[in-house]
Amino acid sequence: MTDSIERLYRAVLAARDLDPARSRTAKLMQQGTAKMAKKLAEEAIEVAIDAVGGDAQAVVRESADLIYNLAVLWAELDVQPEDVWREMERRELMLGIAEKLPKSPVKVAKAAPGRVVGRPIVAAESRTIRKRH
């Protein structure tokens, strides 16, 4: 699977300097980071809507669009797929599986007792940041 994403990433890099009139990737990259992020968010929402609707085939199609738009954003920000794979490995070493890290260092300790390698995760600030809904 990672090979497919890396091939996609290389294709995005190759397409970014093409004629925007002929390349969707070049056009998207010419429109800037905000537009790329908006497209990524739109695809994520489409995946979620199709999932709630129980349409697995639509989830597959929209997931491919989501991964494409993620690769475009990575290329814009000079994030290499290998950077993401390393982060996933780091999480796997810490928690035993490659899952999203808990926000709280206390939750990390509970989720992976004795597995924390290296320096402990600490909060950058003492106050809690609330998500906007």
Side-chain angles (χ1 to χ4, degrees):
M1 180 176 90
T2 59
D3 290 346
S4 296
I5 294 173
E6 289 170 9
R7 282 194 311 275
L8 172 62
Y9 182 79
R10 286 192 302 272
V12 166
L13 290 176
R16 70 175 159 190
D17 295 324
L18 297 177
D19 179 3
R22 295 184 173 269
S23 168
R24 181 175 187 273
T25 301
K27 181 179 179 182
L28 187 56
M29 294 188 94
Q30 187 179 55
Q31 293 173 331
T33 307
K35 179 67 172 184
M36 289 178 239
K38 180 181 176 195
K39 291 299 292 178
L40 180 68
E42 289 171 2
E43 297 302 340
I45 291 167
E46 289 175 12
V47 169
I49 290 169
D50 290 332
V52 169
D55 189 343
Q57 289 304 311
V59 168
V60 169
R61 288 189 304 274
E62 295 302 335
S63 292
D65 291 345
L66 178 63
I67 292 169
Y68 161 78
N69 281 285
L70 182 59
V72 170
L73 194 61
W74 284 353
E76 175 68 11
L77 298 173
D78 197 30
V79 171
Q80 307 287 319
E82 300 82 34
D83 300 333
V84 178
W85 310 153
R86 274 192 302 278
E87 174 61 14
M88 291 176 74
E89 280 181 31
R90 184 184 76 80
R91 292 177 184 201
E92 187 173 3
L93 288 171
M94 182 180 297
L95 298 173
I97 55 174
E99 69 175 35
K100 187 174 183 295
L101 290 177
K103 301 280 186 211
S104 162
V106 173
K107 288 181 183 176
V108 170
K110 286 180 183 176
R115 298 234 14 170
V116 178
V117 178
R119 296 186 306 192
I121 297 174
V122 295
E125 300 180 11
S126 61
R127 65 186 174 101
T128 302
I129 298 172
R130 293 186 184 170
K131 290 182 181 180
R132 289 191 273 185
H133 297 284

